[in-house]
Amino acid sequence: MNYKVIDNNDIEILKSICPDRVYTGEEISEDFSHDELGGVKRMPDVLVEVLSTEEVSKIMKYAFENNIPVVARGSGTGLVGSSVPLHGGIMINLTKMNRILELDEENLTLTVEPGVLLMEIGKFVEEHDLFYPPDPGEKSATIGGNINTNAGGMRAVKYGVTRDYVRGLEVVLPNGEILNVGGKVVKNSSGYSIKDLICGSEGTLGIVTKAILKLLPLPKKAVSLLVPFPNLNKAIGTVPKIIKSKSIPTAIEFMEREVILSAEEFLGKKFPDNSADAYLLLTFDGNSTQEVEAAYEKVANICLEEGALDVYISDTDERKESIWSARGAFLEAIKASTTEMDECDVVVPRNKVAEFVEYTHKLQEEFNIRIRSFGHAGDGNLHIYVLKDDLTEDVWKKKLNDVFDCMYKKSRELNGLVSGEHGIGFAKKPYLFEQYSEEYITLMKNIKLAFDPKNILNPGKVCQ
Amino acid sequence: MNYKVIDNNDIEILKSICPDRVYTGEEISEDFSHDELGGVKRMPDVLVEVLSTEEVSKIMKYAFENNIPVVARGSGTGLVGSSVPLHGGIMINLTKMNRILELDEENLTLTVEPGVLLMEIGKFVEEHDLFYPPDPGEKSATIGGNINTNAGGMRAVKYGVTRDYVRGLEVVLPNGEILNVGGKVVKNSSGYSIKDLICGSEGTLGIVTKAILKLLPLPKKAVSLLVPFPNLNKAIGTVPKIIKSKSIPTAIEFMEREVILSAEEFLGKKFPDNSADAYLLLTFDGNSTQEVEAAYEKVANICLEEGALDVYISDTDERKESIWSARGAFLEAIKASTTEMDECDVVVPRNKVAEFVEYTHKLQEEFNIRIRSFGHAGDGNLHIYVLKDDLTEDVWKKKLNDVFDCMYKKSRELNGLVSGEHGIGFAKKPYLFEQYSEEYITLMKNIKLAFDPKNILNPGKVCQ
């Protein structure tokens, strides 16, 4: 690709669009060169902080006419390099477009700008006795980022993923045109679902500048169960039996002792129990104590029949908080325990989770490298971290590569897919290309071209 | 478009792919020239009944190489001409690919061929104490057709639409390649969501040859409420108050006395009540009597506060059946009451439904033409029928055109969209083109080209 190199004239024009919010050179923090895992780095040539859709549109029009690459960025909490400006150019920082625009209680929708944080949405709607179900662990992510990865989070077992809660989007296309797709409507069969294509497209097809989210009434009652098991296999093996019993917990997470110990150390707080090798953490929600009790008692009995050592019931906010704050800190805790890491976010059919995690245990021994995992046992989405520790750079790269090759191969064998919720970005492209046929990749490239014929928006990501 | 005209050689090749299942000329029933409303007609040049994905793939490869248009067809219950072969060519009849392939109780999925009927899926999964929530009125539609219109049906208020229950698809592309998108997995962020693009694409992007559907546990208890109101405005005006009260009924339908009378006559059976001008019909489901009672009692009280004349509770299968079978017959009953009709399937934000239906009453008087409506008050999706009765062909065409222009204009004013669940097909293209900007339509055309560069699959539909 032959992109135009940013010059002073471009900077001046960007300054005329966004006065006082255009940054270059050392004015740009190094943070903008990478995301949360930092595996790939590059500084943008110019960083522009936008405040409105019109500004985004003007920037894109200019970039399109002048063949300048553009990357949109939220909080930068991604894990696969989606928001890294591989070709330099313009970075659009959307974090100041962070207003909650409208709560519509008659249509149960919330209209937001892309820079609103997930934690802010949760807090705001709960104050109105409403509920935005998608619940990724990283609460400081922006909603724009969540939409672009189609993040799922912990409540996907019962409530589905981000896409299921996006009713409408305002999107700026690569040529600067503003498109409104979907709306406050519940149903829509009015042409191809561009809304669903934008969800999960990792900033490569358009820039989301507004989102209409679907809300639900806030469940009145929620209870968490922490269930210790003698080993991970028994813990995860219980999950298909829970599903088959026709219970629908809100969340089913699995965790191992090593990760809990890391979280205890990281947070300086004790977890309610750390004596067992492996745990399931479940939540149940509903509108009455009876309803929730009936659901969790059945599941508690299944766990005990399958060899659970105990069942701890947490129905106070305080107890739930102590468990879930630990769960929320797993990624940070593992990260703090090593020098560098990379992660695998495969999703497999939920009755294959145990087999996959067991396999990662074998890899840990075979390659003599630390591997930690936790994840969403209820929806088959695993988060597996390979840790560098004190390996040399060369050995680390080689081992990581070999271990990842094995993991993604195993995932394909189990009819899994490369990414459950973190996306492909830059880092997982090789595995996407292995997963899909040439025909499939060509089709994705053609879709990309349908939106972005000059390939200026977030180039080098997903299928390119 | 210059398509190749089918000749004897083509027929022979099709016969070599599907022996004894290739039909031409008078062997083809006139039924295959139109869908349920029949506004546009054309016979295919050749009809091929397929039994496998491989056959579909071979036919598409041949058609692609030879530039022959192809239309896929299920039960033909569409209402907008999506399955009419506007350019002749090959029609692929998928109704014999009608096997239920696998029920996976550990992953709660059902794998089916596209020709399985909606009523067969419902029956099959309920026998296993499971639930496929999408519930369009037309139960003799195929699942392939439902996926292609992204049909919603009556339970969308609580459960969402068809797309939400499609986890994976096997699709034959226009060039004959076979693609597997999604899978049994609950989450997926592995590249652009081609699965979601195929859903609702009305047979223009690929031919669905297999679908993996998401199931839920069957709710143990369901109750219907039939609520008479003194007028339609009061009935529909109550719906936003129900939503705002944070209740989630499974379905909220509205109906008027005239439509009930038509259904009574059509079915030769009495409806439980026909004394009021307008009704809401609600269902509630859950896992215990208490849970369901708590939900419907709250809603019943809201209805009474808003002026409902009574609340009839139906908790026996027999009573529910008598109400819902009448509801299911509305379309057929209205059709039987006139010589010809056309329908408008707009979706508006659910707090705008009353305003829209009132407007159709005004149009009925202004244009002196019979207009009947019923629909999904809970999700804002209306089904409005304009009836020809004894109008002459010219007057009918003119009035229908004028009335539709007014309705779609009104829908746009209310931030509604052209179609909630019946699609665009051929009949609603003018309104889609009015709804969206040129840029939007161009983007859809580009997406179509990404899948179908020769434009041989169901040409002349949706955005073309």
Side-chain angles (χ1 to χ4, degrees):
Chain A
M1 279 290 161
N2 268 326
Y3 295 114
K4 178 182 186 306
V5 178
I6 295 276
D7 61 25
N8 279 336
N9 182 45
D10 302 325
I11 306 287
E12 287 311 312
I13 285 167
L14 290 171
K15 282 183 176 168
S16 75
I17 299 171
C18 300
D20 307 327
R21 285 173 278 116
V22 176
Y23 307 92
T24 55
E26 294 194 350
E27 295 167 344
I28 307 174
S29 158
E30 186 267 348
D31 286 348
F32 290 97
S33 71
H34 62 84
D35 66 8
E36 185 69 17
L37 281 190
V40 56
K41 292 189 182 198
R42 163 116 192 219
M43 290 294 281
D45 296 318
V46 53
L47 176 71
V48 188
E49 199 174 85
V50 291
L51 297 178
S52 71
T53 305
E54 290 63 38
E55 289 181 356
V56 177
S57 170
K58 283 179 187 168
I59 295 169
M60 286 314 305
K61 268 200 174 77
Y62 182 75
F64 188 78
E65 281 160 14
N66 292 279
N67 208 32
I68 301 170
V70 178
V71 173
R73 190 184 197 269
S75 295
T77 58
L79 300 170
V80 293
S82 284
S83 63
V84 177
L86 295 181
H87 297 266
I90 301 168
M91 176 174 277
I92 296 182
N93 178 356
L94 290 152
T95 53
K96 293 287 163 64
M97 283 182 71
N98 60 356
R99 289 175 303 164
I100 292 177
L101 298 173
E102 187 204 22
L103 172 66
D104 181 341
E105 297 198 60
E106 289 188 341
N107 290 301
L108 288 191
T109 57
L110 184 76
T111 306
V112 295
E113 291 186 324
V116 179
L117 303 186
L118 199 53
M119 64 175 98
E120 294 167 342
I121 291 176
K123 187 165 174 290
F124 180 85
V125 300
E126 282 179 27
E127 281 167 4
H128 292 84
D129 212 17
L130 291 166
F131 183 42
Y132 175 70
D135 187 34
E138 181 53 84
K139 304 291 187 283
S140 64
T142 63
I143 186 68
N146 267 218
I147 291 168
N148 270 291
T149 53
N150 186 32
M154 312 199 223
R155 299 187 193 119
V157 189
K158 179 168 178 178
Y159 290 106
V161 298
T162 300
R163 172 179 287 117
D164 304 321
Y165 293 86
V166 177
R167 287 228 189 277
L169 293 174
E170 181 187 73
V171 181
V172 176
L173 294 180
N175 64 5
E177 291 286 335
I178 301 166
L179 220 63
N180 280 284
V181 295
K184 285 186 180 176
V185 295
V186 175
K187 290 174 174 172
N188 183 8
S189 297
S190 311
Y192 305 143
S193 188
I194 291 170
K195 186 267 285 179
D196 285 293
L197 202 49
I198 297 285
C199 292
S201 66
E202 305 184 50
T204 63
L205 302 182
I207 299 178
V208 172
T209 49
K210 201 189 285 179
I212 302 174
L213 305 175
K214 165 185 167 180
L215 304 176
L216 294 180
L218 186 65
K220 293 186 179 62
K221 188 81 192 162
V223 166
S224 290
L225 301 190
L226 182 67
V227 190
F229 282 87
N231 59 58
L232 188 71
N233 207 18
K234 271 200 189 301
I236 300 180
T238 303
V239 176
K241 298 192 169 78
I242 294 171
I243 301 294
K244 205 170 169 179
S245 81
K246 307 197 164 77
S247 303
I248 309 188
T250 309
I252 313 177
E253 300 287 300
F254 76 89
M255 48 190 76
E256 295 180 86
R257 185 202 273 127
E258 294 89 338
V259 174
I260 292 172
L261 296 178
S262 295
E264 287 185 332
E265 196 181 322
F266 181 75
L267 293 169
K269 281 202 292 197
K270 283 280 165 205
F271 198 66
D273 184 72
N274 65 14
S275 61
D277 267 12
Y279 295 81
L280 287 184
L281 171 57
L282 301 103
T283 39
F284 296 84
D285 64 15
N287 284 319
S288 71
T289 306
Q290 281 162 319
E291 183 190 337
V292 175
E293 272 179 8
Y296 78 66
E297 277 173 9
K298 184 171 149 192
V299 171
N301 286 330
I302 293 171
C303 291
L304 292 168
E305 281 163 24
E306 295 298 317
L309 302 170
D310 207 335
V311 174
Y312 302 107
I313 297 166
S314 302
D315 52 1
T316 67
D317 284 348
E318 200 183 343
R319 270 196 82 144
K320 276 185 286 184
E321 167 61 22
S322 80
I323 295 176
W324 284 98
S325 67
R327 166 62 186 85
F330 282 171
L331 170 61
E332 289 292 324
I334 294 173
K335 200 176 162 188
S337 80
T338 187
T339 52
E340 195 179 330
M341 65 182 194
D342 206 344
E343 76 120 30
C344 166
D345 164 54
V346 290
V347 59
V348 296
R350 44 192 161 193
N351 62 349
K352 304 293 182 192
V353 173
E355 187 175 345
F356 194 90
V357 177
E358 252 189 291
Y359 179 72
T360 68
H361 288 176
K362 277 187 213 140
L363 291 177
Q364 179 168 251
E365 287 174 33
E366 188 183 330
F367 287 92
N368 189 25
I369 190 166
R370 230 168 27 114
I371 298 177
R372 288 289 174 267
S373 66
F374 59 89
H376 314 301
D379 58 39
N381 181 207
L382 302 166
H383 299 324
I384 296 156
Y385 297 86
V386 185
L387 310 181
K388 182 176 181 241
D389 293 343
D390 53 7
L391 296 177
T392 62
E393 193 64 20
D394 286 352
V395 175
W396 158 242
K397 289 283 178 214
K398 172 85 177 73
K399 284 200 181 195
L400 178 65
N401 197 44
D402 292 347
V403 167
F404 269 14
D405 279 348
C406 292
M407 283 189 195
Y408 287 102
K409 184 158 172 278
K410 184 73 180 174
S411 159
R412 289 195 296 277
E413 277 172 29
L414 300 175
N415 292 316
L417 294 169
V418 181
S419 171
E421 60 178 345
H422 295 162
I424 302 302
F426 174 75
K428 299 301 183 275
K429 284 200 301 178
Y431 309 109
L432 190 80
F433 280 63
E434 273 174 41
Q435 173 106 56
Y436 294 143
S437 64
E438 206 186 314
E439 190 64 33
Y440 201 137
I441 299 287
T442 302
L443 183 57
M444 287 204 278
K445 283 179 194 277
N446 287 343
I447 292 171
K448 164 74 173 166
L449 280 176
F451 283 78
D452 187 11
K454 291 186 169 182
N455 193 23
I456 58 162
L457 191 60
N458 207 4
K461 308 291 170 63
V462 186
C463 59
Q464 294 190 304
Chain B
M1 278 291 159
N2 269 326
Y3 294 115
K4 177 179 186 308
V5 177
I6 295 276
D7 60 25
N8 278 337
N9 183 44
D10 301 326
I11 306 286
E12 287 311 311
I13 286 168
L14 291 171
K15 281 184 177 169
S16 74
I17 300 171
C18 300
D20 305 326
R21 286 174 277 117
V22 177
Y23 307 92
T24 56
E26 294 193 351
E27 295 167 343
I28 307 175
S29 159
E30 186 268 346
D31 287 349
F32 289 98
S33 71
H34 62 84
D35 66 8
E36 184 70 16
L37 281 190
V40 58
K41 293 190 182 195
R42 164 119 191 217
M43 289 293 282
D45 296 318
V46 54
L47 176 71
V48 188
E49 202 173 83
V50 292
L51 297 178
S52 71
T53 305
E54 290 63 38
E55 289 181 356
V56 177
S57 169
K58 282 180 188 167
I59 295 169
M60 287 313 306
K61 271 203 172 81
Y62 182 74
F64 188 78
E65 282 161 12
N66 292 280
N67 209 35
I68 300 170
V70 179
V71 173
R73 192 184 195 266
S75 295
T77 58
L79 299 170
V80 294
S82 284
S83 62
V84 178
L86 295 180
H87 297 266
I90 301 168
M91 176 174 277
I92 295 182
N93 179 355
L94 291 153
T95 53
K96 294 286 163 66
M97 283 183 70
N98 60 354
R99 289 175 302 166
I100 293 176
L101 298 172
E102 187 203 23
L103 172 68
D104 180 341
E105 297 199 59
E106 288 189 342
N107 289 300
L108 286 190
T109 57
L110 184 75
T111 306
V112 294
E113 290 186 324
V116 179
L117 304 185
L118 199 52
M119 63 174 101
E120 293 167 342
I121 291 177
K123 188 166 172 289
F124 181 85
V125 300
E126 283 180 28
E127 281 166 4
H128 293 84
D129 213 17
L130 291 165
F131 184 42
Y132 176 70
D135 187 32
E138 181 54 83
K139 305 289 186 284
S140 62
T142 62
I143 186 67
N146 267 218
I147 291 168
N148 269 291
T149 54
N150 186 30
M154 312 200 222
R155 299 188 192 118
V157 188
K158 179 167 178 180
Y159 290 106
V161 299
T162 300
R163 171 180 287 116
D164 303 321
Y165 294 86
V166 178
R167 286 229 191 276
L169 292 175
E170 180 188 75
V171 181
V172 176
L173 294 180
N175 64 5
E177 291 286 336
I178 301 166
L179 220 64
N180 280 285
V181 295
K184 285 187 180 176
V185 296
V186 175
K187 290 173 172 173
N188 183 7
S189 296
S190 311
Y192 305 143
S193 187
I194 291 170
K195 187 267 285 181
D196 285 293
L197 202 50
I198 297 285
C199 291
S201 67
E202 305 184 49
T204 63
L205 302 181
I207 298 178
V208 172
T209 48
K210 202 189 283 178
I212 301 173
L213 306 174
K214 164 185 167 179
L215 304 176
L216 294 180
L218 186 66
K220 293 188 180 59
K221 188 80 192 162
V223 166
S224 290
L225 301 189
L226 181 68
V227 190
F229 282 87
N231 59 59
L232 188 72
N233 207 19
K234 271 200 190 303
I236 300 181
T238 303
V239 175
K241 298 189 169 81
I242 293 171
I243 301 294
K244 205 170 168 178
S245 80
K246 307 196 165 79
S247 303
I248 309 186
T250 310
I252 314 177
E253 300 286 300
F254 77 90
M255 49 190 77
E256 295 179 88
R257 185 202 274 127
E258 294 87 339
V259 173
I260 292 173
L261 296 178
S262 296
E264 287 185 331
E265 198 183 318
F266 180 74
L267 293 171
K269 281 202 293 195
K270 283 283 164 203
F271 199 66
D273 183 72
N274 66 15
S275 61
D277 268 12
Y279 294 81
L280 288 183
L281 170 59
L282 301 102
T283 37
F284 295 84
D285 64 16
N287 284 320
S288 71
T289 306
Q290 283 163 319
E291 185 189 338
V292 175
E293 271 180 7
Y296 79 66
E297 276 173 9
K298 184 171 151 193
V299 171
N301 286 330
I302 293 171
C303 290
L304 291 168
E305 280 162 25
E306 295 297 319
L309 303 170
D310 207 335
V311 173
Y312 303 108
I313 297 166
S314 302
D315 52 2
T316 65
D317 284 348
E318 199 182 343
R319 272 195 81 144
K320 277 185 283 183
E321 167 61 21
S322 80
I323 296 176
W324 285 98
S325 67
R327 167 62 187 85
F330 282 172
L331 169 60
E332 290 292 325
I334 294 172
K335 200 177 164 191
S337 81
T338 188
T339 52
E340 196 179 330
M341 66 184 196
D342 206 345
E343 77 119 33
C344 165
D345 163 58
V346 291
V347 59
V348 297
R350 46 191 159 193
N351 63 348
K352 303 293 182 194
V353 174
E355 188 176 342
F356 194 90
V357 178
E358 254 190 290
Y359 179 71
T360 68
H361 289 176
K362 278 188 209 137
L363 290 177
Q364 177 168 252
E365 287 174 31
E366 190 183 328
F367 286 91
N368 189 28
I369 191 166
R370 242 180 3 127
I371 298 176
R372 289 289 174 270
S373 65
F374 59 88
H376 314 301
D379 58 40
N381 181 206
L382 302 166
H383 299 325
I384 297 156
Y385 297 86
V386 185
L387 311 181
K388 183 176 179 241
D389 292 344
D390 53 7
L391 296 177
T392 62
E393 193 63 22
D394 286 355
V395 175
W396 158 243
K397 291 280 178 214
K398 172 87 178 71
K399 283 199 181 192
L400 178 66
N401 196 45
D402 292 349
V403 167
F404 268 14
D405 279 349
C406 292
M407 283 188 195
Y408 287 102
K409 185 159 172 278
K410 184 70 181 179
S411 159
R412 289 195 296 275
E413 277 171 32
L414 299 175
N415 292 316
L417 294 170
V418 181
S419 171
E421 58 178 346
H422 295 161
I424 302 304
F426 174 75
K428 299 302 183 277
K429 284 199 303 178
Y431 309 109
L432 190 81
F433 280 64
E434 275 174 38
Q435 173 107 54
Y436 294 143
S437 64
E438 206 186 313
E439 190 65 35
Y440 201 136
I441 297 287
T442 303
L443 183 56
M444 286 204 279
K445 283 178 195 277
N446 288 345
I447 291 172
K448 165 72 174 165
L449 281 175
F451 283 78
D452 186 11
K454 292 187 170 181
N455 193 23
I456 56 162
L457 190 60
N458 207 3
K461 307 294 170 62
V462 187
C463 61
Q464 294 188 305

